[in-house]
Amino acid sequence: MADAPRYDDSLTIALLRAREAVTAKFRDHVAAGGMTLTQWRVIRALAGGTELDTTTLAQRCVILAPSLTRIIKTLEGRGLIEKVPARDRRQRVVRLTADGEAMFTEMWAVSKTRYAAIEAAFGRAEMLDLVETLNRLRAVLEEDSRNQSASLRP
């Protein structure tokens, strides 16, 4: 293999390992709240009275639509989210219930301390720079994908 980078130097592997290291800091307290990390992402996205259609919610939480459908059903069954009327009847819009907001508030108190510990270990400036860099990388790659798709159209 002439120019293959070392496996451990691969961007995709580094991102996966960093994601696992970060989510490991939250897994136990989220599980103690009776949720998966994916369910917690939905709760977080809807916190503070935010109403979102399921397409936007799936994109924001980085969840495939079929998985989100199951998560909504589960969280709705637990009384944590509810469907609300949408202007477009083809859309499904959801929000947290009062119990969902209470769950968020309780769990967020612990999450904040976990985020603070990560920041203390890594550095606040470095954390902000990292998030900004990753968001910029995503934007550049998404734009590149859109441009490639557009150039393939007849």
Side-chain angles (χ1 to χ4, degrees):
M1 287 191 219
D3 293 340
R6 281 183 353 104
Y7 185 78
D8 289 341
D9 294 337
S10 164
L11 174 63
T12 54
I13 294 302
L15 289 170
L16 286 168
R17 287 180 176 160
R19 178 188 182 276
E20 183 56 32
V22 170
T23 58
K25 300 292 185 188
F26 298 91
R27 193 172 284 114
D28 64 333
H29 96 86
V30 170
M35 279 192 266
T36 65
L37 289 169
T38 310
Q39 291 168 341
W40 174 237
R41 287 200 315 259
V42 171
I43 296 290
R44 281 196 61 202
L46 295 171
T50 303
E51 295 181 358
L52 291 174
D53 66 86
T54 55
T55 301
T56 303
L57 184 58
Q59 290 169 346
R60 185 171 287 176
C61 295
V62 193
I63 301 171
L64 296 175
S67 295
L68 181 60
T69 299
R70 286 189 301 278
I71 290 167
I72 287 172
K73 196 177 287 187
T74 299
L75 296 177
E76 192 175 25
R78 291 181 58 190
L80 300 174
I81 66 170
E82 63 189 358
K83 293 178 185 147
V84 295
R87 285 187 296 246
D88 184 340
R89 294 176 68 190
R90 295 171 293 181
Q91 287 184 323
R92 289 187 341 179
V93 177
V94 294
R95 69 176 171 213
L96 292 181
T97 63
D99 286 347
E101 287 287 351
M103 171 71 82
F104 169 78
T105 300
E106 180 182 319
M107 292 183 64
W108 182 241
V110 176
S111 287
K112 282 193 306 190
T113 65
R114 306 285 170 100
Y115 279 112
I118 293 168
E119 254 185 25
F122 191 65
R124 178 155 174 72
E126 289 87 348
M127 183 69 69
L128 294 172
D129 287 346
L130 177 61
V131 170
E132 181 181 328
T133 299
L134 290 172
N135 284 330
R136 194 172 65 246
L137 174 63
R138 178 183 48 83
V140 166
L141 294 177
E142 287 174 352
E143 179 65 24
D144 185 56
S145 291
R146 281 191 293 275
N147 290 340
Q148 284 182 355
S149 293
S151 69
L152 295 176
R153 290 187 199 125

